Amino acid sequence: MNSHLNIFKSYTNKNRTYQLENDLTRALAISLQEDALFFHEIFKEILKGTNFYNQLFESLDTETNVIIDIQKRASQISDFDHIFAISLSESEISEFWEQTYNRNYDPICDLVIQINNIVLVFEAKRDNVNCTAQLYNQILNITNKEIQPQEFTKENYGKVITAFDFNWSRLMAIAVKVSSFEKTMNSQNRFLSDFIQLVKQHNFRWLPEPSISALQPINTRAITRRIESTIEEVSKRDEFTKLNYNDRLGFEIFKDWAKEILFWVKDNGNLGASIYPGNTKRQGYSLFAKNPEFNESLKILGNEYPINYSYHIKFTSFQKFFQGIWFNESQLKKSLYTKENFHKYTGRKKRGKDWTEIEQLFNESLDFNWKEKCAWENSMISSGRNQFDMSFGYEVHIEIPFQKLKELDQNQSDLTNLINLVIEIFNEFNNNLFKS
């Protein structure tokens, strides 16, 4: 799925930085509203250590009403017995009752949740801003419009008001656990997963994401998440465009002979980086202007990494891939990828003479059962197709060992070394893949 279709991501997001606080709050509110398990875990965490949770839910006969609002004025909040004043920021909440911001007015609260006679008031910040004073003043104005500020003390209202520090990291740890559980049960909630993605795009540090140095090579999902965060950070630079597909991780590359650089984590924890020159016939025109030769290695952060490549003949119909043949140099009887063969055999091929010529070419060139590899009989001959498009391409990749990733990524809050690694891989693929 195209990541532009994230429920919470505005198409003009880059021009709406000032709106980010409201975007995050709205996304959180909708996710709580649309995912009962997520709401339950957040609510239970806030009420932990009190008797309110049992009072609300210990009986099947208890009537419980939930109202979730954003941008609600303090004057609209009433009929409550207890208020939880919740700070949602990178900054830790200060001592609530020591605040002195005493101003009588009608402030707007970011997020308000009322469950029967209990009210949760969230003040959200998109960065490391301490919002305790602002939250204190909101609660002052909610509690009683008639009191004098000097009367708003812990002695007078401490039993009615509970201050709670719910920083983004703490909240996102719960969100990730819930989403992971839902995924395990094949019931992943789209709202919650899109909310997590929105937060990650803003600040990867808010998610429970250990550095690779703290991981084992078999923990490929956690390593992949770390690489995803790196890609996200790199894509914030103007010269990099992230691929907007959920099933592919990488960048666009604006070459005549290729359009994507992909990153993936192998079962042994190594990082693979791939490019696919000649993936379409249009790309092949540039590639086969002269017979392409790959360099033996690429230099990344001072180390040489061997280039591995294989051949990939791709078959498409109506611009959609449906079959292919992968092979390496040792499986060739004679050279196949030549300028002459490219111009003669690739492109649109009609049933009949074209297909017969292709069979003859492959029989003469390939030293394996190529028909079995691409299900030639079922995919072509007996398929009812009258034509297909064929391209001569390559799958080229390098591999960064897991041990190197561990050396580079030692600090959970610092992606600098991984960012440099990814940028160098991109630049080497972009500039030094072929022999001059």
Side-chain angles (χ1 to χ4, degrees):
M1 185 187 70
N2 191 311
S3 66
H4 279 310
L5 298 179
N6 183 301
I7 295 168
F8 305 118
K9 185 177 179 182
S10 167
Y11 186 71
T12 57
N13 187 265
K14 286 189 177 180
N15 298 323
R16 301 172 74 247
T17 303
Y18 70 92
Q19 181 66 19
L20 183 57
E21 246 163 56
N22 290 341
D23 288 345
L24 289 168
T25 306
R26 177 177 176 274
L28 171 60
I30 294 173
S31 300
L32 291 169
Q33 180 177 273
E34 298 296 330
D35 191 321
L37 179 58
F38 180 45
F39 181 89
H40 173 266
E41 293 303 303
I42 293 294
F43 188 61
K44 191 174 182 180
E45 180 71 11
I46 294 170
L47 269 61
K48 187 166 59 178
T50 74
N51 291 323
F52 295 121
Y53 182 85
N54 289 336
Q55 292 171 11
L56 289 168
F57 301 114
E58 66 183 356
S59 172
L60 287 173
D61 298 323
T62 303
E63 286 191 23
T64 305
N65 297 310
V66 179
I67 301 172
I68 300 176
D69 278 316
I70 59 174
Q71 299 294 293
K72 189 167 185 175
R73 290 197 172 275
S75 59
Q76 298 174 310
I77 302 170
S78 59
D79 300 326
F80 57 85
D81 293 335
H82 200 94
I83 294 180
F84 286 84
I86 303 164
S87 167
L88 187 54
S89 171
E90 283 185 71
S91 176
E92 193 173 318
I93 194 171
S94 303
E95 176 53 52
F96 183 82
W97 293 106
E98 290 181 3
Q99 303 305 305
T100 58
Y101 185 45
N102 301 319
R103 177 186 167 201
N104 287 321
Y105 74 118
D106 194 8
I108 295 175
C109 305
D110 288 341
L111 170 62
V112 178
I113 301 174
Q114 185 154 0
I115 306 175
N116 287 6
N117 60 344
I118 296 171
V119 173
L120 315 181
V121 177
F122 293 77
E123 178 56 35
K125 297 297 179 187
R126 67 174 183 268
D127 45 30
N128 193 29
V129 172
N130 191 307
C131 58
T132 312
Q134 187 176 353
L135 185 62
Y136 170 87
N137 191 250
Q138 289 174 358
I139 305 305
L140 164 65
N141 283 277
I142 290 169
T143 305
N144 194 330
K145 301 288 286 184
E146 306 303 324
I147 67 170
Q148 295 299 312
Q150 60 269 25
E151 298 175 35
F152 188 64
T153 63
K154 186 174 184 178
E155 289 69 29
N156 292 336
Y157 288 91
K159 293 182 179 180
V160 179
I161 298 165
T162 300
F164 189 86
D165 183 20
F166 214 156
N167 58 68
W168 281 107
S169 295
R170 185 176 179 183
L171 183 141
M172 294 312 298
I174 295 173
V176 169
K177 285 180 182 177
V178 170
S179 186
S180 179
F181 175 78
E182 291 174 341
K183 188 174 183 179
T184 301
M185 300 300 290
N186 293 319
S187 61
Q188 194 166 27
N189 186 287
R190 168 76 183 279
F191 290 91
L192 182 58
S193 60
D194 278 10
F195 170 61
I196 292 170
Q197 187 59 32
L198 177 74
V199 170
K200 186 169 189 172
Q201 289 168 355
H202 170 58
N203 193 334
F204 74 91
R205 297 174 184 84
W206 291 357
L207 275 73
E209 185 179 270
S211 66
I212 295 176
S213 65
L215 300 172
Q216 296 299 314
I218 58 173
N219 200 341
T220 56
R221 287 179 64 181
I223 300 169
T224 300
R225 284 198 298 271
R226 194 67 171 163
I227 300 302
E228 286 174 348
S229 294
T230 304
I231 299 292
E232 201 67 58
E233 290 301 297
V234 173
S235 68
K236 293 177 181 178
R237 306 183 182 202
D238 291 340
E239 63 268 36
F240 294 93
T241 303
K242 179 189 169 191
L243 294 176
N244 280 302
Y245 300 97
N246 288 343
D247 60 345
R248 298 201 292 279
L249 181 62
F251 301 103
E252 293 183 22
I253 180 172
F254 300 99
K255 292 290 189 181
D256 292 338
W257 43 267
K259 294 303 177 189
E260 297 178 346
I261 293 177
L262 303 181
F263 294 85
W264 39 279
V265 176
K266 299 186 66 175
D267 290 341
N268 60 3
N270 291 356
L271 175 65
S274 302
I275 194 168
Y276 296 84
N279 195 42
T280 65
K281 176 150 189 181
R282 181 183 294 273
Q283 294 173 13
Y285 280 118
S286 173
L287 193 65
F288 288 95
K290 57 181 181 178
N291 290 327
E293 284 188 82
F294 297 106
N295 282 313
E296 293 181 0
S297 65
L298 295 178
K299 193 172 185 178
I300 312 292
L301 297 180
N303 296 308
E304 296 284 342
Y305 295 97
I307 291 175
N308 301 289
Y309 72 90
S310 60
Y311 299 95
H312 177 212
I313 298 172
K314 187 175 77 169
F315 302 104
T316 58
S317 180
F318 299 103
Q319 299 183 337
K320 289 186 177 180
F321 170 82
F322 70 90
Q323 195 53 267
I325 308 174
W326 288 263
F327 56 97
N328 55 42
E329 200 77 42
S330 66
Q331 295 174 293
L332 280 170
K333 294 179 184 176
K334 66 176 186 178
S335 182
L336 174 61
Y337 276 29
T338 65
K339 186 189 299 186
E340 180 184 5
N341 285 346
F342 168 76
H343 288 289
K344 183 176 180 180
Y345 293 105
T346 61
R348 182 146 300 171
K349 300 289 120 182
K350 303 282 188 180
R351 179 184 285 271
K353 181 183 176 183
D354 286 351
W355 292 14
T356 302
E357 289 180 348
I358 289 172
E359 285 191 66
Q360 184 177 348
L361 174 69
F362 289 171
N363 286 335
E364 293 173 354
S365 305
L366 301 178
D367 192 21
F368 60 94
N369 189 342
W370 64 269
K371 288 186 177 180
E372 181 180 321
K373 288 282 188 180
C374 69
W376 180 263
E377 181 64 34
N378 291 331
S379 297
M380 313 292 187
I381 306 300
S382 305
S383 67
R385 300 180 193 277
N386 290 314
Q387 64 181 33
F388 58 76
D389 295 300
M390 185 172 75
S391 62
F392 281 0
Y394 296 88
E395 181 178 34
V396 184
H397 77 274
I398 63 169
E399 198 168 311
I400 310 298
F402 174 74
Q403 188 60 39
K404 185 62 178 179
L405 298 179
K406 286 187 68 172
E407 292 173 11
L408 291 172
D409 189 33
Q410 296 281 327
N411 187 339
Q412 188 274 338
S413 63
D414 186 5
L415 283 172
T416 303
N417 290 337
L418 287 182
I419 287 171
N420 291 337
L421 173 71
V422 165
I423 289 175
E424 284 219 11
I425 291 172
F426 179 93
N427 290 335
E428 285 293 295
F429 271 139
N430 197 26
N431 301 319
N432 297 317
L433 190 61
F434 296 103
K435 292 181 178 179
S436 301

